[in-house]
Amino acid sequence: MQQQKQLKVLLIGDSCTDEYVYGTCERLNPEAPVPILKFNRKETTKGMAWNVRENLMSFGIEVYIATHEETIIKTRYIDEKSNQQIMRYDEEPKVEPLSYDFPKEWNSEYDALVISDYDKGFLTTEKIFELSSRFVGPVFIDSKKTLLPEDAYIKVNELEYERMSHSNYENLIITRGGKGAEYQGELYPAEKVNVFDVVGAGDTFLAALTYGYLKYGRIDKAIPLANKAASIAVSHRGTYVLTGEDVDEILH
């Protein structure tokens, strides 16, 4: 039996460290009308493009990531009894934009280009268009920008879709939360699950969408697979990375 080719993906985008401070709220602060969170524990994971990378790797894909050196930290304070996020504290240093050119050898090395753009300064609109135009192969973009290359597969949520400059994108995938994802006027329904945390679900969707397309060669077959992956992610607390068991469940 011929061995299956190792899939390789080039991932470019913003990254961060996700911190979760878990505790219990039992009383209000006498100094101000806000709850007091009694500390229980703290967890740290990699977020944004790093989360996309980890989930791509869960599908057995080899990933090369290009991201900034500056460390963005998002700290979420969560009451464990209610699973309610009390607040989020962000540390965002100025991020230097990606400056180097697109090496020609990338085209022969990678099966797909994935752009995970949280609009933190690493990728300009011009750079996204440049990367997309120079890569020979499928391009998948998840971005908060309003103007994007029309020849790429673009994944946006409902709010991002409303903000876009125009909607004449042939390969636009709109994620609609618990309803599923819409593509070319057709809704691909999501699986019904108990939602614990939506953080990182879009990253999981993007990773699974990319893998599904590389596996089947069709975006309409990739979207249901991405819906399954996102449903698993939201049923766990925090930034979740798919396990081998999760991948087996998604593919069967």
Side-chain angles (χ1 to χ4, degrees):
M1 182 182 293
Q2 187 176 3
Q3 189 174 7
Q4 190 172 3
K5 174 181 173 287
Q6 170 72 58
L7 294 173
K8 295 183 179 182
V9 164
L10 172 61
L11 171 62
I12 303 175
D14 303 297
S15 60
C16 77
T17 296
D18 282 324
E19 292 185 345
Y20 296 87
V21 178
Y22 293 99
T24 52
C25 293
E26 298 175 345
R27 62 193 180 98
L28 291 176
N29 186 348
E31 303 162 353
V34 293
I36 295 174
L37 185 71
K38 184 179 179 181
F39 177 84
N40 289 340
R41 60 193 172 90
K42 180 178 178 179
E43 294 181 0
T44 301
T45 58
K46 293 180 176 180
M48 299 199 293
W50 278 114
N51 188 34
V52 178
R53 173 185 178 268
E54 296 298 310
N55 281 287
L56 282 167
M57 291 174 65
S58 295
F59 287 100
I61 296 175
E62 184 178 328
V63 184
Y64 174 78
I65 183 171
T67 188
H68 46 82
E69 295 182 357
E70 299 85 1
T71 302
I72 295 172
I73 303 175
K74 298 180 181 180
T75 305
R76 299 171 177 86
Y77 297 85
I78 300 166
D79 175 40
E80 287 200 281
K81 287 199 297 185
S82 63
N83 195 45
Q84 182 69 42
Q85 185 178 144
I86 306 303
M87 68 165 289
R88 194 180 91 184
Y89 174 72
D90 290 359
E91 299 175 55
E92 291 193 13
K94 183 180 179 182
V95 173
E96 291 298 320
L98 176 65
S99 57
Y100 56 81
D101 293 330
F102 186 101
K104 290 182 179 179
E105 57 268 23
W106 279 358
N107 281 319
S108 59
E109 290 182 13
Y110 300 103
D111 299 291
L113 168 64
V114 177
I115 294 175
S116 176
D117 171 43
Y118 278 76
D119 207 20
K120 300 300 183 182
F122 184 61
L123 289 168
T124 63
T125 297
E126 292 75 18
K127 181 59 72 173
I128 290 175
F129 272 83
E130 174 194 325
L131 292 168
S132 180
S133 65
R134 293 190 178 183
F135 186 77
V136 180
V139 178
F140 300 85
I141 300 175
D142 185 359
S143 174
K144 296 188 180 299
K145 291 184 172 58
T146 58
L147 182 62
L148 297 165
E150 295 185 9
D151 54 349
Y153 291 102
I154 299 171
K155 174 254 164 202
V156 293
N157 60 34
E158 290 178 299
L159 182 59
E160 291 163 347
Y161 174 66
E162 291 174 3
R163 292 174 176 171
M164 294 186 78
S165 301
H166 61 89
S167 56
N168 300 324
Y169 294 94
E170 183 179 355
N171 291 310
L172 188 68
I173 299 117
I174 309 166
T175 56
R176 299 194 177 277
K179 296 178 183 177
E182 182 181 334
Y183 175 67
Q184 294 187 347
E186 181 177 349
L187 182 66
Y188 295 76
E191 296 187 4
K192 302 297 181 183
V193 295
N194 292 324
V195 177
F196 280 91
D197 196 339
V198 298
V199 174
D203 301 328
T204 308
F205 184 98
L206 178 64
L209 183 76
T210 303
Y211 172 77
Y213 183 86
L214 293 177
K215 178 178 176 63
Y216 300 116
R218 290 173 51 178
I219 202 71
D220 60 331
K221 284 197 171 186
I223 293 173
L225 188 150
N227 276 339
K228 283 185 180 181
S231 295
I232 291 173
V234 300
S235 64
H236 293 80
R237 284 181 177 177
T239 307
Y240 185 73
V241 177
L242 297 170
T243 65
E245 290 182 357
D246 293 332
V247 172
D248 287 341
E249 180 183 338
I250 291 167
L251 297 178
H252 297 96

